[in-house]
Coordinates of all heavy atoms in Angstrom, one line a residue:
M1 N 7.6 -83.6 -115.9 CA 8.1 -84.7 -115.1 C 9.6 -84.5 -114.9 O 10.3 -84.3 -115.9 CB 7.7 -86.0 -115.8 CG 8.3 -87.3 -115.9 SD 9.4 -88.0 -114.9 CE 10.1 -89.2 -116.0
G2 N 10.0 -84.6 -113.7 CA 11.4 -84.3 -113.5 C 12.3 -85.4 -114.0 O 11.8 -86.5 -114.2
V3 N 13.5 -85.1 -114.3 CA 14.5 -86.2 -114.8 C 15.5 -86.3 -113.7 O 16.0 -85.3 -113.2 CB 15.1 -85.8 -116.1 CG1 14.2 -86.1 -117.2 CG2 15.6 -84.4 -116.1
S4 N 15.8 -87.6 -113.3 CA 16.7 -87.7 -112.1 C 18.1 -87.8 -112.6 O 18.5 -88.4 -113.7 CB 16.3 -89.0 -111.4 OG 16.2 -90.1 -112.3
K5 N 19.0 -87.2 -111.8 CA 20.4 -87.2 -112.0 C 21.0 -88.5 -111.8 O 20.7 -89.2 -110.8 CB 21.0 -86.1 -111.1 CG 22.5 -86.0 -111.3 CD 23.1 -84.9 -110.4 CE 24.6 -84.7 -110.5 NZ 25.1 -83.5 -109.8
L6 N 21.8 -89.0 -112.7 CA 22.5 -90.3 -112.6 C 23.7 -90.1 -111.6 O 24.3 -89.0 -111.6 CB 23.0 -90.7 -114.0 CG 22.0 -91.0 -115.0 CD1 22.7 -91.2 -116.4 CD2 21.2 -92.2 -114.7
D7 N 24.0 -91.1 -110.9 CA 25.2 -91.0 -110.1 C 26.4 -91.4 -111.0 O 26.3 -91.8 -112.1 CB 25.2 -91.9 -108.8 CG 25.1 -93.4 -109.1 OD1 25.8 -93.8 -110.1 OD2 24.4 -94.1 -108.3
R8 N 27.6 -91.2 -110.4 CA 28.8 -91.3 -111.3 C 28.9 -92.7 -111.9 O 29.2 -92.8 -113.1 CB 30.1 -91.0 -110.4 CG 31.4 -91.1 -111.2 CD 31.6 -89.9 -112.1 NE 32.8 -90.1 -113.0 CZ 33.5 -89.1 -113.5 NH1 33.2 -87.9 -113.2 NH2 34.5 -89.4 -114.3
S9 N 28.6 -93.7 -111.1 CA 28.8 -95.0 -111.7 C 27.8 -95.3 -112.7 O 28.1 -96.0 -113.8 CB 28.8 -96.1 -110.6 OG 27.5 -96.1 -110.0
E10 N 26.6 -94.9 -112.5 CA 25.5 -95.0 -113.6 C 26.0 -94.3 -114.9 O 25.8 -94.8 -116.0 CB 24.2 -94.5 -113.1 CG 23.6 -95.3 -112.0 CD 22.4 -94.5 -111.3 OE1 22.4 -93.3 -111.3 OE2 21.4 -95.2 -110.9
A11 N 26.5 -93.1 -114.7 CA 26.9 -92.4 -115.9 C 28.1 -93.1 -116.6 O 28.1 -93.2 -117.8 CB 27.3 -90.9 -115.5
E12 N 29.0 -93.6 -115.8 CA 30.2 -94.3 -116.4 C 29.7 -95.5 -117.2 O 30.3 -95.8 -118.3 CB 31.2 -94.7 -115.3 CG 32.1 -93.5 -114.9 CD 32.9 -93.8 -113.6 OE1 32.6 -94.9 -113.0 OE2 33.7 -93.0 -113.3
Q13 N 28.8 -96.2 -116.7 CA 28.2 -97.4 -117.4 C 27.7 -97.0 -118.7 O 27.9 -97.7 -119.7 CB 27.1 -98.0 -116.6 CG 27.6 -98.9 -115.4 CD 26.4 -99.2 -114.5 OE1 25.2 -99.3 -114.9 NE2 26.6 -99.4 -113.2
R14 N 27.0 -95.9 -118.8 CA 26.4 -95.5 -120.0 C 27.4 -94.9 -121.0 O 27.3 -95.1 -122.2 CB 25.2 -94.5 -119.7 CG 24.0 -95.2 -119.1 CD 23.1 -94.2 -118.3 NE 22.0 -94.9 -117.8 CZ 22.0 -95.7 -116.7 NH1 23.1 -95.8 -116.0 NH2 20.9 -96.3 -116.3
L15 N 28.4 -94.2 -120.4 CA 29.4 -93.6 -121.2 C 30.2 -94.6 -122.0 O 30.6 -94.5 -123.1 CB 30.3 -92.7 -120.4 CG 31.4 -91.9 -121.2 CD1 30.7 -90.8 -122.0 CD2 32.4 -91.2 -120.3
A16 N 30.4 -95.8 -121.3 CA 31.2 -96.9 -121.8 C 30.5 -97.4 -123.1 O 31.2 -98.0 -124.0 CB 31.3 -98.0 -120.8
K17 N 29.2 -97.2 -123.3 CA 28.5 -97.7 -124.5 C 28.6 -96.8 -125.6 O 28.2 -97.1 -126.7 CB 27.0 -98.0 -124.1 CG 26.8 -99.1 -123.1 CD 25.4 -99.3 -122.8 CE 25.2 -100.4 -121.7 NZ 24.0 -100.1 -120.8
L18 N 29.2 -95.6 -125.4 CA 29.3 -94.6 -126.5 C 30.7 -94.5 -126.9 O 31.7 -94.6 -126.1 CB 28.8 -93.2 -126.0 CG 27.4 -93.1 -125.5 CD1 27.1 -91.7 -124.9 CD2 26.4 -93.3 -126.7
D19 N 30.9 -94.2 -128.2 CA 32.3 -94.0 -128.7 C 32.6 -92.5 -128.7 O 31.8 -91.7 -129.1 CB 32.5 -94.5 -130.2 CG 32.2 -96.0 -130.2 OD1 32.5 -96.7 -129.2 OD2 31.7 -96.5 -131.2
D20 N 33.8 -92.1 -128.3 CA 34.3 -90.8 -128.5 C 33.7 -89.7 -127.7 O 33.9 -88.5 -128.0 CB 34.3 -90.4 -130.0 CG 35.0 -91.4 -130.9 OD1 36.1 -91.8 -130.5 OD2 34.5 -91.8 -131.9
W21 N 32.8 -90.0 -126.8 CA 32.3 -89.0 -125.9 C 33.1 -89.1 -124.6 O 33.7 -90.1 -124.3 CB 30.8 -89.3 -125.6 CG 29.9 -89.0 -126.7 CD1 29.6 -89.9 -127.7 CD2 29.1 -87.8 -126.9 NE1 28.7 -89.3 -128.6 CE2 28.3 -88.0 -128.1 CE3 28.9 -86.6 -126.2 CZ2 27.5 -87.0 -128.6 CZ3 28.1 -85.6 -126.7 CH2 27.4 -85.9 -127.9
E22 N 33.2 -88.0 -124.0 CA 34.0 -87.9 -122.7 C 33.3 -87.1 -121.7 O 32.5 -86.2 -122.0 CB 35.4 -87.4 -122.9 CG 35.4 -86.0 -123.5 CD 36.8 -85.5 -123.9 OE1 37.8 -86.3 -123.9 OE2 37.0 -84.3 -124.1
F23 N 33.6 -87.3 -120.4 CA 33.0 -86.4 -119.4 C 33.6 -85.0 -119.5 O 34.7 -84.8 -119.9 CB 33.4 -87.0 -118.0 CG 32.5 -88.2 -117.5 CD1 33.1 -89.4 -117.2 CD2 31.1 -88.1 -117.5 CE1 32.4 -90.5 -116.8 CE2 30.4 -89.1 -117.1 CZ 31.0 -90.3 -116.7
S24 N 32.7 -84.1 -119.2 CA 33.2 -82.7 -119.0 C 32.5 -82.1 -117.8 O 31.6 -82.7 -117.2 CB 32.9 -81.9 -120.3 OG 31.5 -81.9 -120.5
R25 N 32.9 -80.8 -117.5 CA 32.2 -80.1 -116.4 C 32.3 -81.0 -115.1 O 31.3 -81.2 -114.5 CB 30.8 -79.7 -116.7 CG 30.7 -78.6 -117.7 CD 29.4 -77.9 -117.7 NE 29.2 -77.4 -119.0 CZ 28.0 -77.0 -119.5 NH1 26.9 -77.2 -118.7 NH2 27.9 -76.5 -120.7
D26 N 33.4 -81.6 -114.9 CA 33.6 -82.3 -113.7 C 32.6 -83.5 -113.5 O 32.1 -83.7 -112.4 CB 33.6 -81.4 -112.5 CG 34.2 -82.0 -111.2 OD1 35.1 -82.8 -111.4 OD2 33.8 -81.6 -110.1
G27 N 32.2 -84.1 -114.6 CA 31.3 -85.2 -114.6 C 29.8 -84.8 -114.7 O 28.9 -85.7 -114.7
D28 N 29.5 -83.5 -114.9 CA 28.1 -83.1 -115.0 C 27.7 -83.0 -116.4 O 26.5 -82.6 -116.7 CB 28.0 -81.7 -114.3 CG 27.8 -81.9 -112.8 OD1 27.4 -83.0 -112.3 OD2 28.1 -81.0 -112.0
A29 N 28.6 -83.3 -117.4 CA 28.2 -83.2 -118.8 C 29.1 -84.2 -119.5 O 30.0 -84.8 -119.0 CB 28.4 -81.8 -119.3
I30 N 28.7 -84.5 -120.8 CA 29.5 -85.3 -121.7 C 29.7 -84.4 -123.0 O 28.8 -83.6 -123.3 CB 28.9 -86.6 -122.0 CG1 27.5 -86.5 -122.6 CG2 28.9 -87.6 -120.8 CD1 26.9 -87.8 -123.1
K31 N 30.8 -84.6 -123.6 CA 31.0 -83.9 -124.9 C 31.8 -84.7 -125.9 O 32.4 -85.7 -125.6 CB 31.8 -82.6 -124.6 CG 33.3 -82.7 -124.3 CD 33.9 -81.3 -124.2 CE 35.4 -81.5 -123.9 NZ 36.1 -80.2 -123.8
R32 N 31.6 -84.3 -127.1 CA 32.3 -84.9 -128.3 C 32.5 -83.9 -129.4 O 31.7 -83.0 -129.6 CB 31.4 -86.1 -128.8 CG 32.1 -86.8 -130.0 CD 31.3 -87.9 -130.5 NE 32.0 -88.4 -131.7 CZ 31.5 -89.4 -132.5 NH1 30.4 -90.0 -132.2 NH2 32.2 -89.7 -133.6
E33 N 33.6 -84.0 -130.1 CA 33.9 -83.2 -131.2 C 33.6 -84.0 -132.5 O 34.0 -85.1 -132.6 CB 35.3 -82.7 -131.2 CG 35.7 -81.8 -132.3 CD 37.1 -81.3 -132.2 OE1 37.4 -80.3 -131.5 OE2 38.0 -81.9 -132.8
F34 N 33.0 -83.3 -133.5 CA 32.7 -83.9 -134.8 C 33.4 -83.0 -135.9 O 33.3 -81.8 -135.9 CB 31.2 -83.9 -135.1 CG 30.4 -84.7 -134.1 CD1 30.0 -84.1 -132.9 CD2 30.1 -86.0 -134.3 CE1 29.3 -84.8 -131.9 CE2 29.3 -86.7 -133.4 CZ 28.9 -86.1 -132.2
K35 N 34.0 -83.7 -136.8 CA 34.7 -83.0 -138.0 C 34.0 -83.4 -139.3 O 33.7 -84.6 -139.5 CB 36.2 -83.4 -138.0 CG 37.0 -82.7 -136.9 CD 38.1 -81.9 -137.6 CE 39.0 -81.3 -136.5 NZ 38.7 -79.9 -136.2
F36 N 33.8 -82.4 -140.1 CA 33.2 -82.7 -141.4 C 34.0 -82.2 -142.6 O 35.1 -81.5 -142.4 CB 31.8 -82.0 -141.5 CG 30.9 -82.5 -140.4 CD1 30.9 -81.9 -139.1 CD2 30.1 -83.6 -140.6 CE1 30.1 -82.4 -138.1 CE2 29.3 -84.1 -139.5 CZ 29.3 -83.5 -138.3
D37 N 33.6 -82.5 -143.8 CA 34.5 -82.1 -145.0 C 34.5 -80.6 -145.1 O 35.5 -80.0 -145.5 CB 33.9 -82.7 -146.3 CG 34.1 -84.2 -146.3 OD1 35.0 -84.7 -145.5 OD2 33.4 -84.9 -147.0
D38 N 33.4 -79.9 -144.8 CA 33.3 -78.5 -145.0 C 32.2 -77.9 -144.1 O 31.5 -78.7 -143.4 CB 33.1 -78.1 -146.4 CG 31.9 -78.9 -147.0 OD1 30.9 -79.1 -146.3 OD2 31.9 -79.2 -148.2
F39 N 32.0 -76.6 -144.2 CA 31.0 -76.0 -143.4 C 29.6 -76.4 -143.7 O 28.8 -76.7 -142.8 CB 31.1 -74.4 -143.5 CG 29.9 -73.7 -142.8 CD1 30.0 -73.6 -141.5 CD2 28.9 -73.2 -143.6 CE1 28.9 -72.9 -140.8 CE2 27.8 -72.6 -142.9 CZ 27.9 -72.4 -141.5
V40 N 29.3 -76.6 -144.9 CA 27.9 -77.0 -145.3 C 27.6 -78.4 -144.7 O 26.5 -78.6 -144.2 CB 27.7 -77.0 -146.9 CG1 26.4 -77.6 -147.3 CG2 27.8 -75.6 -147.4
A41 N 28.5 -79.3 -144.7 CA 28.3 -80.6 -144.1 C 28.1 -80.5 -142.6 O 27.2 -81.1 -142.1 CB 29.5 -81.5 -144.4
A42 N 28.9 -79.6 -142.0 CA 28.7 -79.4 -140.6 C 27.3 -78.9 -140.2 O 26.6 -79.3 -139.3 CB 29.8 -78.5 -140.0
W43 N 26.9 -77.9 -141.0 CA 25.6 -77.2 -140.8 C 24.5 -78.2 -141.0 O 23.5 -78.2 -140.3 CB 25.5 -76.0 -141.8 CG 24.3 -75.2 -141.5 CD1 23.1 -75.3 -142.2 CD2 24.0 -74.4 -140.4 NE1 22.2 -74.4 -141.7 CE2 22.7 -73.9 -140.5 CE3 24.8 -73.9 -139.3 CZ2 22.2 -73.0 -139.6 CZ3 24.2 -73.0 -138.4 CH2 22.9 -72.6 -138.6
G44 N 24.6 -79.1 -142.0 CA 23.6 -80.1 -142.3 C 23.4 -81.0 -141.1 O 22.3 -81.3 -140.7
F45 N 24.6 -81.4 -140.5 CA 24.6 -82.3 -139.3 C 23.9 -81.5 -138.2 O 23.0 -82.1 -137.5 CB 26.0 -82.6 -139.0 CG 26.2 -83.3 -137.6 CD1 25.8 -84.6 -137.4 CD2 26.7 -82.6 -136.6 CE1 26.0 -85.2 -136.2 CE2 26.9 -83.2 -135.3 CZ 26.6 -84.5 -135.1
M46 N 24.2 -80.3 -138.0 CA 23.6 -79.5 -136.9 C 22.1 -79.4 -137.1 O 21.3 -79.5 -136.1 CB 24.2 -78.1 -136.8 CG 25.7 -78.2 -136.3 SD 26.4 -76.5 -136.3 CE 25.7 -75.9 -134.8
S47 N 21.6 -79.3 -138.3 CA 20.2 -79.2 -138.6 C 19.5 -80.5 -138.2 O 18.4 -80.5 -137.6 CB 20.0 -78.9 -140.1 OG 20.6 -77.7 -140.5
R48 N 20.1 -81.6 -138.5 CA 19.5 -82.9 -138.1 C 19.6 -83.1 -136.6 O 18.6 -83.6 -136.0 CB 20.3 -84.0 -138.8 CG 20.2 -83.9 -140.3 CD 21.0 -85.0 -141.0 NE 20.3 -86.3 -140.9 CZ 20.9 -87.5 -141.1 NH1 22.2 -87.5 -141.4 NH2 20.2 -88.6 -141.0
V49 N 20.6 -82.7 -136.0 CA 20.7 -82.8 -134.5 C 19.6 -81.9 -133.9 O 18.9 -82.3 -132.9 CB 22.0 -82.4 -133.9 CG1 22.0 -82.3 -132.4 CG2 23.1 -83.4 -134.4
A50 N 19.4 -80.7 -134.5 CA 18.3 -79.8 -133.9 C 16.9 -80.5 -134.0 O 16.1 -80.3 -133.0 CB 18.3 -78.5 -134.7
I51 N 16.7 -81.2 -135.0 CA 15.4 -81.9 -135.1 C 15.2 -83.0 -134.1 O 14.2 -83.1 -133.4 CB 15.2 -82.4 -136.6 CG1 15.0 -81.3 -137.6 CG2 14.0 -83.4 -136.7 CD1 15.2 -81.7 -139.0
L52 N 16.3 -83.7 -133.9 CA 16.4 -84.7 -132.8 C 16.1 -84.1 -131.5 O 15.3 -84.6 -130.7 CB 17.7 -85.4 -132.8 CG 18.1 -86.5 -133.7 CD1 19.5 -87.1 -133.4 CD2 17.0 -87.7 -133.6
A53 N 16.8 -83.0 -131.2 CA 16.7 -82.3 -129.9 C 15.2 -81.9 -129.7 O 14.7 -82.0 -128.6 CB 17.6 -81.1 -129.9
E54 N 14.6 -81.3 -130.7 CA 13.2 -80.9 -130.6 C 12.3 -82.1 -130.3 O 11.4 -82.0 -129.4 CB 12.8 -80.2 -131.8 CG 12.9 -78.7 -131.8 CD 12.3 -78.0 -130.6 OE1 11.0 -77.9 -130.5 OE2 13.0 -77.7 -129.6
K55 N 12.5 -83.2 -131.0 CA 11.7 -84.4 -130.8 C 11.8 -84.9 -129.3 O 10.9 -85.3 -128.7 CB 12.1 -85.5 -131.7 CG 11.5 -85.4 -133.1 CD 11.9 -86.6 -134.0 CE 11.5 -86.4 -135.4 NZ 12.2 -87.3 -136.3
Q56 N 13.0 -84.8 -128.8 CA 13.3 -85.4 -127.5 C 13.2 -84.3 -126.4 O 13.3 -84.6 -125.2 CB 14.7 -86.0 -127.5 CG 14.8 -87.2 -128.4 CD 16.2 -87.8 -128.5 OE1 17.0 -87.8 -127.5 NE2 16.5 -88.5 -129.6
D57 N 12.9 -83.1 -126.8 CA 12.8 -82.0 -125.9 C 14.1 -82.0 -125.0 O 14.0 -81.8 -123.7 CB 11.6 -82.0 -125.0 CG 11.4 -80.7 -124.2 OD1 11.8 -79.7 -124.7 OD2 10.8 -80.8 -123.1
H58 N 15.2 -82.2 -125.6 CA 16.5 -82.2 -124.9 C 17.5 -81.6 -125.8 O 17.8 -82.0 -126.9 CB 16.9 -83.6 -124.6 CG 17.9 -83.7 -123.5 ND1 17.6 -83.3 -122.2 CD2 19.2 -84.1 -123.5 CE1 18.7 -83.5 -121.5 NE2 19.7 -83.9 -122.2
H59 N 18.1 -80.4 -125.4 CA 18.8 -79.6 -126.3 C 20.3 -79.5 -126.0 O 20.7 -79.4 -124.8 CB 18.2 -78.2 -126.3 CG 16.8 -78.3 -126.7 ND1 15.7 -78.6 -125.9 CD2 16.2 -78.1 -128.0 CE1 14.6 -78.6 -126.5 NE2 14.8 -78.3 -127.8
P60 N 21.1 -79.5 -127.0 CA 22.6 -79.5 -126.7 C 23.1 -78.1 -126.4 O 22.5 -77.1 -126.8 CB 23.2 -80.0 -128.1 CG 22.2 -79.5 -129.1 CD 20.8 -79.6 -128.4
E61 N 24.3 -78.1 -125.9 CA 25.1 -76.8 -125.8 C 26.2 -77.1 -126.8 O 26.9 -78.1 -126.6 CB 25.6 -76.6 -124.4 CG 24.5 -76.4 -123.4 CD 25.0 -76.2 -121.9 OE1 26.1 -75.7 -121.8 OE2 24.3 -76.6 -121.0
W62 N 26.3 -76.3 -127.8 CA 27.2 -76.6 -128.9 C 27.8 -75.4 -129.5 O 27.4 -74.3 -129.3 CB 26.5 -77.5 -129.9 CG 25.2 -77.0 -130.4 CD1 24.5 -75.9 -130.0 CD2 24.4 -77.6 -131.4 NE1 23.3 -75.8 -130.7 CE2 23.2 -76.9 -131.6 CE3 24.6 -78.8 -132.2 CZ2 22.2 -77.2 -132.5 CZ3 23.6 -79.2 -133.1 CH2 22.4 -78.4 -133.2
S63 N 28.9 -75.7 -130.3 CA 29.6 -74.6 -131.0 C 30.0 -75.2 -132.4 O 30.2 -76.4 -132.6 CB 30.9 -74.2 -130.3 OG 31.8 -75.3 -130.2
N64 N 30.2 -74.3 -133.3 CA 30.6 -74.7 -134.7 C 31.6 -73.7 -135.2 O 31.4 -72.5 -135.1 CB 29.4 -74.6 -135.6 CG 29.8 -74.5 -137.1 OD1 29.5 -73.5 -137.7 ND2 30.4 -75.5 -137.6
V65 N 32.8 -74.2 -135.6 CA 33.8 -73.4 -136.3 C 34.1 -74.1 -137.6 O 34.7 -75.2 -137.6 CB 35.1 -73.3 -135.4 CG1 36.1 -72.5 -136.1 CG2 34.8 -72.7 -134.0
Y66 N 33.6 -73.5 -138.7 CA 33.8 -74.0 -140.0 C 33.3 -75.5 -140.1 O 32.2 -75.7 -140.1 CB 35.3 -73.8 -140.5 CG 35.5 -74.3 -141.9 CD1 34.7 -73.8 -143.0 CD2 36.4 -75.3 -142.2 CE1 34.8 -74.3 -144.3 CE2 36.5 -75.8 -143.5 CZ 35.8 -75.2 -144.5 OH 35.9 -75.7 -145.8
N67 N 34.3 -76.5 -140.2 CA 33.9 -77.9 -140.4 C 33.8 -78.7 -139.1 O 33.7 -79.9 -139.1 CB 34.8 -78.5 -141.4 CG 36.2 -78.7 -140.8 OD1 36.7 -77.9 -140.0 ND2 36.9 -79.8 -141.2
T68 N 33.9 -78.0 -137.9 CA 34.0 -78.7 -136.6 C 32.8 -78.3 -135.8 O 32.4 -77.1 -135.7 CB 35.3 -78.3 -135.9 OG1 36.4 -78.6 -136.7 CG2 35.4 -79.0 -134.6
V69 N 32.2 -79.3 -135.2 CA 31.0 -79.1 -134.3 C 31.4 -79.7 -133.0 O 31.8 -80.9 -132.9 CB 29.7 -79.7 -134.8 CG1 28.6 -79.5 -133.9 CG2 29.4 -79.1 -136.2
E70 N 31.3 -78.9 -131.9 CA 31.5 -79.5 -130.5 C 30.1 -79.5 -129.9 O 29.4 -78.5 -129.9 CB 32.4 -78.6 -129.7 CG 33.9 -79.0 -129.9 CD 34.7 -78.5 -128.6 OE1 34.1 -78.2 -127.6 OE2 35.9 -78.5 -128.8
I71 N 29.8 -80.7 -129.3 CA 28.5 -80.9 -128.7 C 28.7 -81.3 -127.2 O 29.5 -82.2 -126.9 CB 27.6 -81.9 -129.3 CG1 27.3 -81.5 -130.8 CG2 26.3 -82.2 -128.6 CD1 26.4 -82.5 -131.6
E72 N 28.1 -80.5 -126.3 CA 28.1 -80.9 -124.9 C 26.7 -81.1 -124.4 O 25.8 -80.3 -124.8 CB 28.8 -79.8 -124.1 CG 29.1 -80.2 -122.7 CD 30.1 -79.2 -122.0 OE1 30.0 -78.0 -122.2 OE2 31.1 -79.7 -121.4
L73 N 26.5 -82.2 -123.7 CA 25.1 -82.5 -123.2 C 25.1 -82.6 -121.7 O 26.0 -83.2 -121.1 CB 24.7 -83.9 -123.8 CG 24.7 -84.0 -125.4 CD1 24.4 -85.4 -125.8 CD2 23.6 -83.0 -125.9
T74 N 24.1 -82.0 -121.1 CA 23.9 -82.0 -119.7 C 22.4 -81.8 -119.5 O 21.7 -81.2 -120.5 CB 24.7 -81.0 -118.9 OG1 24.5 -81.2 -117.5 CG2 24.3 -79.6 -119.3
T75 N 21.8 -82.2 -118.4 CA 20.4 -82.0 -118.2 C 20.2 -80.9 -117.2 O 20.5 -81.0 -116.0 CB 19.7 -83.3 -117.7 OG1 20.0 -84.3 -118.6 CG2 18.2 -83.1 -117.5
H76 N 19.8 -79.7 -117.7 CA 19.6 -78.6 -116.8 C 18.7 -78.8 -115.6 O 18.9 -78.5 -114.5 CB 19.2 -77.4 -117.6 CG 20.0 -77.1 -118.8 ND1 19.5 -77.1 -120.1 CD2 21.4 -77.0 -118.9 CE1 20.6 -76.9 -120.9 NE2 21.7 -76.9 -120.3
D77 N 17.6 -79.5 -115.9 CA 16.6 -79.8 -114.9 C 17.1 -80.8 -113.8 O 16.4 -80.9 -112.8 CB 15.3 -80.4 -115.6 CG 14.6 -79.4 -116.5 OD1 14.9 -78.2 -116.4 OD2 13.9 -79.9 -117.4
A78 N 18.2 -81.4 -114.1 CA 18.7 -82.4 -113.1 C 20.1 -81.9 -112.5 O 20.7 -82.5 -111.7 CB 18.9 -83.7 -113.7
D79 N 20.5 -80.7 -113.0 CA 21.8 -80.2 -112.6 C 22.9 -81.2 -112.8 O 23.8 -81.3 -111.9 CB 21.8 -79.7 -111.2 CG 20.9 -78.4 -111.0 OD1 21.0 -77.6 -111.9 OD2 20.2 -78.3 -110.0
G80 N 22.8 -82.0 -113.9 CA 23.9 -82.9 -114.2 C 23.4 -83.9 -115.3 O 22.6 -83.5 -116.1
L81 N 24.0 -85.1 -115.3 CA 23.7 -86.0 -116.4 C 22.4 -86.9 -116.0 O 22.3 -87.3 -114.9 CB 24.9 -87.0 -116.6 CG 26.1 -86.3 -117.3 CD1 27.3 -87.2 -117.2 CD2 25.7 -86.0 -118.8
S82 N 21.6 -87.1 -117.0 CA 20.4 -88.0 -116.9 C 20.4 -88.9 -118.1 O 21.2 -88.8 -119.0 CB 19.1 -87.1 -116.9 OG 18.8 -86.7 -118.2
E83 N 19.4 -89.8 -118.1 CA 19.3 -90.7 -119.2 C 19.2 -90.0 -120.5 O 19.6 -90.4 -121.5 CB 18.0 -91.6 -119.0 CG 18.0 -92.5 -117.8 CD 18.9 -93.8 -118.1 OE1 19.6 -93.8 -119.2 OE2 19.0 -94.6 -117.2
R84 N 18.5 -88.8 -120.5 CA 18.3 -88.1 -121.7 C 19.5 -87.7 -122.4 O 19.6 -87.7 -123.7 CB 17.5 -86.8 -121.4 CG 16.1 -87.1 -120.8 CD 15.3 -85.8 -120.6 NE 14.0 -86.1 -120.1 CZ 13.0 -85.2 -119.9 NH1 13.3 -83.9 -120.3 NH2 11.8 -85.5 -119.4
D85 N 20.6 -87.4 -121.7 CA 21.9 -87.1 -122.3 C 22.4 -88.2 -123.1 O 22.9 -88.0 -124.2 CB 22.8 -86.6 -121.2 CG 22.3 -85.4 -120.5 OD1 22.1 -84.3 -121.2 OD2 22.1 -85.4 -119.3
F86 N 22.4 -89.4 -122.5 CA 22.9 -90.6 -123.2 C 22.1 -91.0 -124.4 O 22.6 -91.5 -125.4 CB 23.2 -91.7 -122.2 CG 24.3 -91.3 -121.2 CD1 23.9 -90.7 -119.9 CD2 25.6 -91.4 -121.5 CE1 24.9 -90.3 -119.1 CE2 26.6 -91.0 -120.6 CZ 26.3 -90.5 -119.4
T87 N 20.8 -90.9 -124.2 CA 19.9 -91.2 -125.3 C 20.1 -90.3 -126.5 O 20.3 -90.8 -127.6 CB 18.4 -91.1 -124.9 OG1 18.1 -92.0 -123.8 CG2 17.4 -91.3 -126.0
L88 N 20.2 -89.0 -126.3 CA 20.5 -88.1 -127.4 C 21.9 -88.3 -127.9 O 22.0 -88.3 -129.2 CB 20.3 -86.6 -126.9 CG 20.5 -85.6 -127.9 CD1 19.6 -85.8 -129.2 CD2 20.3 -84.2 -127.3
A89 N 22.8 -88.6 -127.1 CA 24.2 -88.8 -127.6 C 24.2 -90.0 -128.6 O 24.8 -90.0 -129.7 CB 25.2 -89.0 -126.5
G90 N 23.5 -91.1 -128.2 CA 23.5 -92.3 -129.0 C 22.8 -92.0 -130.3 O 23.2 -92.4 -131.4
D91 N 21.7 -91.2 -130.3 CA 21.0 -90.9 -131.5 C 21.8 -89.9 -132.4 O 21.7 -90.0 -133.6 CB 19.6 -90.3 -131.1 CG 18.7 -91.3 -130.5 OD1 19.0 -92.5 -130.6 OD2 17.7 -90.9 -129.9
I92 N 22.6 -89.1 -131.8 CA 23.4 -88.2 -132.6 C 24.5 -89.0 -133.3 O 24.7 -88.9 -134.5 CB 24.1 -87.1 -131.7 CG1 23.1 -86.1 -131.3 CG2 25.3 -86.5 -132.4 CD1 23.6 -85.1 -130.2
D93 N 25.1 -89.9 -132.6 CA 26.1 -90.8 -133.2 C 25.5 -91.6 -134.4 O 26.2 -91.9 -135.4 CB 26.7 -91.8 -132.2 CG 27.6 -91.1 -131.2 OD1 27.9 -89.9 -131.4 OD2 28.0 -91.7 -130.2
A94 N 24.3 -92.0 -134.3 CA 23.6 -92.8 -135.3 C 23.4 -92.0 -136.6 O 23.1 -92.5 -137.7 CB 22.3 -93.3 -134.8
L95 N 23.5 -90.7 -136.5 CA 23.4 -89.8 -137.7 C 24.6 -89.9 -138.6 O 24.5 -89.6 -139.8 CB 23.2 -88.3 -137.3 CG 21.9 -87.9 -136.6 CD1 22.0 -86.4 -136.2 CD2 20.7 -88.2 -137.4
R96 N 25.7 -90.4 -138.0 CA 27.0 -90.3 -138.8 C 27.0 -91.5 -139.8 O 26.4 -92.5 -139.5 CB 28.1 -90.5 -137.8 CG 28.1 -89.4 -136.8 CD 28.7 -88.1 -137.2 NE 30.1 -88.2 -137.4 CZ 30.9 -87.4 -138.1 NH1 30.4 -86.4 -138.7 NH2 32.2 -87.6 -138.1
Ligands
H2B101 C1 10.4 -76.7 -120.8 C2 11.3 -77.7 -121.5 O1 10.7 -79.0 -121.6 C3 12.6 -77.9 -120.6 O2 13.2 -76.7 -120.4 C4 13.6 -78.8 -121.3 C5 14.1 -78.3 -122.7 N1 15.4 -78.8 -123.1 C6 16.3 -79.3 -122.2 N2 17.5 -79.6 -122.6 C7 18.5 -79.9 -121.7 N3 19.7 -80.2 -122.1 N4 18.2 -80.0 -120.4 C8 17.0 -79.8 -119.9 O3 16.8 -79.9 -118.7 C9 15.9 -79.4 -120.8 N5 14.7 -79.1 -120.4

């Protein structure tokens, strides 16, 4: 089932409900940086995010440098932001 792309104002409404996420890719994605005490803590967080992503069939584009994890979310099937991005972002924040 396709996922529909949100328009800018719909995306802004949803972004306003999240802390510390910002638009990226000219509004086609959202991103946030997470800092941890050390690499093992960062890796544990990434493991938990991976399980969420699998459950939601919605996967992040992300990077890890030692204790820092950068996560960017976009919906490839919609060529932009969809509800799935904001749902996953909210669930990721709830892991903290
Ligand atoms: C076949 C599979 O359901 C699709 O490719 C899913 C997988 N994970 C995904 N993740 C993201 N970020 N966007 C998608 O469009 C997407 N599609």
Side-chain angles (χ1 to χ4, degrees):
M1 149 20 203
V3 282
S4 51
K5 180 175 180 175
L6 298 169
D7 66 35
R8 180 75 189 206
S9 66
E10 291 168 328
E12 281 169 351
Q13 283 168 29
R14 286 157 180 82
L15 188 67
K17 293 181 183 147
L18 296 172
D19 299 329
D20 303 317
W21 288 83
E22 59 185 13
F23 281 123
S24 61
R25 285 197 211 162
D26 199 26
D28 280 335
I30 54 173
K31 75 173 180 179
R32 181 178 173 182
E33 183 178 273
F34 301 84
K35 284 237 185 264
F36 299 88
D37 289 341
D38 53 31
F39 173 75
V40 171
W43 185 257
F45 169 75
M46 292 177 79
S47 301
R48 298 178 73 195
V49 171
I51 292 165
L52 279 181
E54 266 307 286
K55 275 186 191 161
Q56 297 181 23
D57 191 29
H58 198 67
H59 301 84
E61 297 180 27
W62 48 357
S63 65
N64 160 243
V65 179
Y66 182 57
N67 68 328
T68 302
V69 179
E70 270 206 14
I71 298 182
E72 192 163 44
L73 301 175
T74 187
T75 302
H76 307 123
D77 295 342
D79 289 324
L81 286 168
S82 75
E83 294 285 4
R84 295 183 181 188
D85 299 301
F86 293 95
T87 299
L88 182 54
D91 291 345
I92 288 169
D93 290 350
L95 292 176
R96 303 282 285 163

